[in-house]
Amino acid sequence: VKLPTSAATSARMRMVKRRDTPGELDLRSHLTMSRLRYRVDVEPWPGFRRRVDIAFPKLKIAIFVDGCFWHRCPSHYVPPILNAEWWANKIDSNVRKDTEVGRALSARGWTCLRYWAHADMEEAARQIVHVVRCGSALSRVVA
Ligand SMILES: [Zn+2]
């Protein structure tokens, strides 16, 4: 089974997944209230071809807010019934890319923080503030 069939659908899916999800907006508003200046939807270096949801480029801190569906959250992911195999492959590939991106960032000295979209974003923001201010060497946070 090959889905989605149109480039438009595919582009829409990418956008839906990539930017301005409710969890990410919530986290960003908490970061703004903490007076942190971050950048959004950043390519960490030219040619990397993957985006970081929220970044502090000078400090090399990358933050991802992973959607429960797209990144297979253990608490909320429900496999689609229609086109199950296509979706399983798609989500597998997303999860694999997450790991690859994390490794690539670490290899270049970036600190990579990941949060589930369902996380308590106030708490997430507190952790991020701590990492930004104290340069803590946390390699992964799942809240
Ligand atoms: Zn979840």
Side-chain angles (χ1 to χ4, degrees), residues 4-60:
T5 49
S6 82
T9 305
S10 163
R12 194 162 56 239
M13 279 174 41
R14 271 199 303 277
M15 288 307 289
V16 164
K17 185 174 61 151
R18 203 172 87 185
R19 287 201 68 161
D20 299 342
T21 59
E24 186 183 333
L25 289 176
D26 189 24
L27 177 58
R28 277 156 51 186
S29 79
H30 284 292
L31 292 175
T32 302
M33 284 189 278
S34 305
R35 305 212 177 113
L36 293 188
R37 299 189 57 184
Y38 51 84
R39 291 182 52 211
V40 170
D41 194 30
V42 169
E43 188 182 35
W45 56 83
F48 187 52
R49 295 193 312 153
R50 302 262 176 231
R51 320 288 293 186
V52 171
D53 294 333
I54 299 169
F56 298 85
K58 282 181 190 159
L59 297 169
K60 293 190 171 181

Side-chain angles (χ1 to χ4, degrees), residues 68 73 75-76 116 118:
C68 295
C73 159
S75 308
H76 304 118
W116 289 113
H118 69 246

